[in-house]
Structures are given as structure tokens and as C-alpha cells.
Amino acid sequence: MGALTGFRILDLSRILAGPWCSQILADLGAEVIKIEKPDHGDDTRIWGPPWLKNNSNEDTHESAYYLSANRGKHSVAVDISTPAGQTLIHKLVLESDVVIENYKAGSLKRYSLDYETLSTLNPKIVYCSITGFGQNGPRAAEPGYDFIVQGMGGMMSVTGERDDLPGGGPQKAGLAFADLTTGLYSAIAIQAALLSREMVIKMPHTLREDYTSIGSPIKLSKTPVEYKKAPPCLGEDTDTVLSQFISQDEIAQLKAQGVIQQR
């Protein structure tokens, strides 16, 4: 059983940063449902060669790029641009713990798949939005790809030959450095948010049915912490406890004398 067994991840992301993140979560035991476009799916499916070879050693239409970042997931083809597709995603959100997306900031709002909408449906949802430049600020609406981040962040200045040599100057790193790093940070952030969410437990209280409380930080695999009872009101268990030791007549007598009290 994986550390994240029991958690369901709804993955709306594509290409690398988001899928890399959700693959890590799948490896750790989470159920990952990957939502893809019905026509061609994740863009990286066709980013070959190299291609996956079939049993006859022939090229298929599944790229090595796609295979490298989507292990352990379930693929579901849904058109999120349609009202029916959006309604279907809403139903999945009701039974999910995490949503991951890497669209441009604000893009999913027009499909009613933004955090504000989905958190109304499921207040416990952890929503991870991967963007190039954050959710607000002067560049928030701009797309962000790995090579853009490498260039702006200075990564390209420390790769390749010196400027004074042939072919010198800034060069992109051989692998998608920014995407892979982003995926790792996203996986860490999601796990932290899930741990933080678990602020909280709910149990019935004498004065309020939906009473919430901070849970125990102790997490035991074989003997988990049990939340049996909300904090009691003054004397609310006097009769229940004392009836195991003395008779009902004695309890009534002690109440009359003001020695004990039941509320």
C-alpha cells in the first residue's frame, strides 16, 4: 500500500510539468485520473520519435516522451469545452481530493473549472495550478514554457560553450530542467496541502453537529489515531460514567445533594 493510497487526483494537465507531478503522486499510491482531449489527447503523445515499439517491433503512435511522464494513471477522454464535459468533470471533483492543471492563469474559468467554482462544489479540494508567471501580476496572462523559463531565469547562460567560442552563447539545457523542477515542487506542495487539510477533523458536538477541530499530528500506519468524541460539555457524561460504578438511586441522591451534576 502506497503512502498516498486512498487519495484521488484529477489531472487536467498536459505536456510535462503537471504530468510529471501527477506521476510522482501515482507512484506513491494515489489514484490519478488523467483527463485528455478526445481527438488526440495529451500533446506529447505525438512528440516522437522515438516511439513505443509494439510486439512486432513496429513503431506505434505512443511517444517515449509521453510514456516517460504518465506511468500509473487512468486516461479518460473528455471534451472540457462542452457543457456536458464540464458537468462530468464537476461530478468527478465531488469525489476527488486534488485537481492539477497547467493552463494559462484564468483560462479554466470560462469552462467553470477554476478553483473558485470547484471549491464551492468540494470545499476540501486541493487545487494545484501550474503557470509560467503566477496567478496575478503584470505577466500572469502570458504562457510559460520550459525554454522561456530557462532563458529568463539565466539557466541558458551557464550551459554550452563560452561566448568567445564557435557556437557559444546561451544554450538550452538538454532536458526540460524547469518543467521537471516545477513538477517536483508541485508534488511537494500538494502533499503538504493534503497533510494540512487532514486542519482539520469533523465530529458531532453536543452543541453543534458540524464541529471542526485540529487533528492529531501523529500518523500511525497500523494503529491510527481514533477520534471517538468531541470535547465534552461540563458534566455531560456524569450519569453514563457513574452508572458503571453506583446505582441510579445513588446518582439521584448525589445530584440532590449537589455533589455531582449532569448537563
Side-chain angles (χ1 to χ4, degrees), residues 4 27 36 40 44 72 87 93 108 114 122 132 141 152 182 222 252:
L4 295 182
D27 287 347
E36 300 188 69
H40 66 269
T44 61
T87 298
V93 167
L108 289 183
D114 55 306
N122 182 355
M152 295 181 65
T182 298
K222 294 184 179 180

Side-chain angles (χ1 to χ4, degrees), residues 50-210:
W51 306 99
L52 173 68
K53 301 285 187 180
N54 62 19
N55 292 331
S56 300
N57 202 36
E58 300 168 330
D59 283 343
T60 67
H61 296 293
E62 298 288 281
S63 72
Y65 195 122
Y66 172 83
L67 296 174
S68 72
N70 288 282
R71 178 177 58 245
K73 307 175 188 180
H74 304 289
S75 175
V76 177
V78 178
D79 187 352
I80 66 171
S81 68
T82 65
Q86 294 157 23
T87 298
L88 181 57
I89 298 300
H90 288 174
K91 290 181 179 179
L92 294 175
V93 167
L94 290 173
E95 303 298 329
S96 297
D97 299 283
V98 177
V99 170
I100 303 174
E101 60 92 356
N102 59 353
Y103 288 76
K104 286 195 301 182
S107 295
L108 289 183
K109 188 175 184 62
R110 64 175 178 269
Y111 301 132
S112 297
L113 298 177
D114 55 306
Y115 173 72
E116 287 72 22
T117 301
L118 300 188
S119 63
T120 299
L121 297 173
N122 182 355
K124 292 185 67 177
I125 201 72
V126 171
Y127 193 100
C128 178
S129 180
I130 299 172
T131 63
F133 302 97
Q135 297 297 314
N136 46 53
R139 311 195 72 157
E142 297 180 21
Y145 289 95
D146 180 88
F147 64 89
I148 295 175
V149 176
Q150 284 197 33
M152 295 181 65
M155 181 65 185
M156 291 187 186
S157 68
V158 295
T159 59
E161 296 289 355
R162 300 197 314 263
D163 291 353
D164 59 341
L165 295 178
Q171 294 185 24
K172 182 181 181 299
L175 76 168
F177 170 83
D179 275 341
L180 296 179
T181 303
T182 298
L184 290 172
Y185 274 116
S186 297
I188 293 169
I190 287 170
Q191 292 177 87
L194 285 172
L195 180 61
S196 176
R197 187 190 74 175
E198 293 299 310
M199 294 156 242
V200 176
I201 57 171
K202 288 190 176 182
M203 56 177 60
H205 189 279
T206 302
L207 303 178
R208 181 176 179 137
E209 291 185 358
D210 62 346

